[in-house]
């Protein structure tokens, strides 16, 4: 997986434009599904959980502050996923 560009995150945080949202979905939708498969989540449940995670990202992206470390956004994303998985 390529690194998330800080400019993509900045663009999404500021505007939520559909092209930046589409890019996030393209990059992270498959990753979220792979993570869920490792936790042996059923495909139908995985779809719901991916939607929950992406909704949380859309709602909370303005509070995300990139630390400058490689993988910071993915770490934040995985934390959201694990919290949603626990609730599930």
């Amino acid at each position: 997986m390529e690194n998330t560009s800080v400019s993509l995150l900045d663009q999404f945080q500021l505007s939520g434009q559909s092209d930046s949202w589409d890019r996030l979905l393209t990059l992270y939708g498959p990753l979220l599904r792979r993570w869920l498969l490792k936790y042996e989540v059923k495909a139908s449940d995985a779809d719901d959980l991916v939607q929950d995670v992406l909704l949380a990202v859309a709602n909370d992206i303005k509070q995300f502050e990139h630390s400058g470390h490689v993988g910071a956004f993915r770490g934040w994303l995985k934390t959201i996923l694990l919290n949603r998985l626990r609730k599930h």
Side-chain angles (χ1 to χ4, degrees):
M1 154 148 292
E2 65 185 79
N3 293 333
T4 308
S5 91
V6 174
S7 62
L8 173 63
L9 294 175
D10 287 344
Q11 181 183 22
F12 186 73
Q13 285 176 321
L14 294 174
S15 68
Q17 292 177 355
S18 64
D19 58 336
S20 56
W21 179 248
D22 290 344
R23 181 78 175 131
L24 283 172
L25 289 175
T26 299
L27 285 172
Y28 292 103
L31 177 64
L32 291 167
R33 283 182 176 78
R34 279 194 305 271
W35 285 342
L36 288 167
L37 286 175
K38 288 182 182 181
Y39 291 103
E40 300 178 0
V41 174
K42 295 179 191 174
S44 59
D45 291 334
D47 290 339
D48 291 340
L49 285 163
V50 167
Q51 279 186 319
D52 288 347
V53 169
L54 294 173
L55 181 60
V57 168
N59 289 333
D60 297 337
I61 191 72
K62 290 184 182 198
Q63 286 80 35
F64 175 73
E65 293 184 30
H66 200 288
S67 66
H69 294 95
V70 174
F73 181 73
R74 280 174 288 190
W76 182 68
L77 194 63
K78 190 159 192 179
T79 298
I80 295 170
L81 178 128
L82 292 173
N83 288 330
R84 294 300 184 272
L85 187 56
R86 285 182 194 108
K87 288 180 184 178
H88 179 73

